[in-house]
Amino acid sequence: MGATTAATASGWLDQIRFDDRGLVTVVAQDAGSGRVLMVAWADREAVAETVATKRAVYWSRSRKRIWRKGEESGHFQAVSEVRLDCDGDVVLYRVRPEGGVACHTGRESCFYRRLEDGQWVVTDKMLDSPEGPSPR
Amino acid sequence: MGATTAATASGWLDQIRFDDRGLVTVVAQDAGSGRVLMVAWADREAVAETVATKRAVYWSRSRKRIWRKGEESGHFQAVSEVRLDCDGDVVLYRVRPEGGVACHTGRESCFYRRLEDGQWVVTDKMLDSPEGPSPR
């Protein structure tokens, strides 16, 4: 991007459009299977730490603090790629989830319900015990 | 889902947690390649019409109205699957994008920028002419 110069080390962060809460929507996708795992939020610090550590970091709205994914569950997410959408207000993390679990319910993906004939049908088994309240 | 009975035809809609604007976040994913194409919003009517017509419908915040994807661009999205996340506030549309374009910039995906060495690098060619302002 032409406007980014080498001199502004965090110029790429300035190109993200954080909302009035200072947050950006993040989609986490499994880099292997391509499955969409979860949608959460991140503040500037969380995105910066994600890129620096190559581990997914979010902002927990329920806990009102930085949320290093896996800090309690052990289900870290190794981040192989970060993408930004056209409007600059959604970030995509491509990840490899440790333990194969992304959802706080103990399932691979948060999108474990599929609409079938007017009913949400659970398609995923629990691979681990639930974590308790959603940390999002 | 035990709480849904056959008698409540739109019980599945009641299980979606629309926010105080009446909107839910929607992720559209290519059902073939698995690529994440775009993130937008939908109101209750948009989700209902998506399911009824099997074509992706959103809510345009900039236009403040229902947004039938492709109504102007021709880039409709045939919806093969709808999923709901654990907290009930994000919906996933699995789609086949007509013309292979989802982004208003004329690219396959809105996530056409990848972070490389502190710069957002454009990875996608324009496959069609841009639509003008983002309809999101």
Side-chain angles (χ1 to χ4, degrees), chain A residues 8 20 25 27 43 48 50 61 85-86 102-103 111 125 131 134:
Chain A
T8 55
D20 48 17
T25 302
V27 180
D43 65 351
T50 296
R61 295 189 305 174
D85 85 337
C86 51
C103 184
F111 295 91
K125 281 187 289 200
E131 281 177 54
S134 172

Side-chain angles (χ1 to χ4, degrees), chain A residues 56-99:
Chain A
V57 181
Y58 303 94
W59 173 263
S60 167
R61 295 189 305 174
S62 61
R63 301 173 183 173
K64 296 185 174 57
R65 66 167 174 82
I66 283 276
W67 166 31
R68 295 178 179 89
K69 175 70 178 168
E71 62 192 350
E72 291 177 12
S73 65
H75 299 304
F76 298 100
Q77 296 175 338
V79 177
S80 57
E81 190 173 278
V82 176
R83 287 184 170 268
L84 182 63
D85 85 337
C86 51
D87 292 333
D89 60 0
V90 186
V91 170
L92 176 69
Y93 292 169
R94 287 182 57 95
V95 307
R96 293 201 177 262
E98 285 188 34

Side-chain angles (χ1 to χ4, degrees), chain A:
Chain A
M1 311 301 291
T4 306
T5 69
T8 55
S10 61
W12 64 273
L13 269 171
D14 296 332
Q15 289 179 260
I16 300 175
R17 284 175 48 210
F18 296 94
D19 66 15
D20 48 17
R21 303 166 300 179
L23 302 180
V24 70
T25 302
V26 181
V27 180
Q29 178 180 33
D30 189 299
S33 69
R35 187 157 186 197
V36 177
L37 300 176
M38 55 186 281
V39 170
W41 291 265
D43 65 351
R44 187 178 168 100
E45 182 187 347
V47 177
E49 185 174 317
T50 296
V51 169
T53 64
K54 295 189 166 61
R55 276 199 175 178
V57 181
Y58 303 94
W59 173 263
S60 167
R61 295 189 305 174
S62 61
R63 301 173 183 173
K64 296 185 174 57
R65 66 167 174 82
I66 283 276
W67 166 31
R68 295 178 179 89
K69 175 70 178 168
E71 62 192 350
E72 291 177 12
S73 65
H75 299 304
F76 298 100
Q77 296 175 338
V79 177
S80 57
E81 190 173 278
V82 176
R83 287 184 170 268
L84 182 63
D85 85 337
C86 51
D87 292 333
D89 60 0
V90 186
V91 170
L92 176 69
Y93 292 169
R94 287 182 57 95
V95 307
R96 293 201 177 262
E98 285 188 34
V101 171
C103 184
H104 76 289
T105 65
R107 296 181 176 88
E108 177 190 1
S109 165
C110 294
F111 295 91
Y112 59 81
R113 290 181 286 181
R114 181 172 60 203
L115 190 64
E116 295 180 12
D117 299 327
Q119 304 233 357
W120 296 110
V121 175
V122 174
T123 59
D124 286 51
K125 281 187 289 200
M126 285 168 54
L127 304 175
D128 198 355
S129 43
E131 281 177 54
S134 172
R136 292 197 317 157

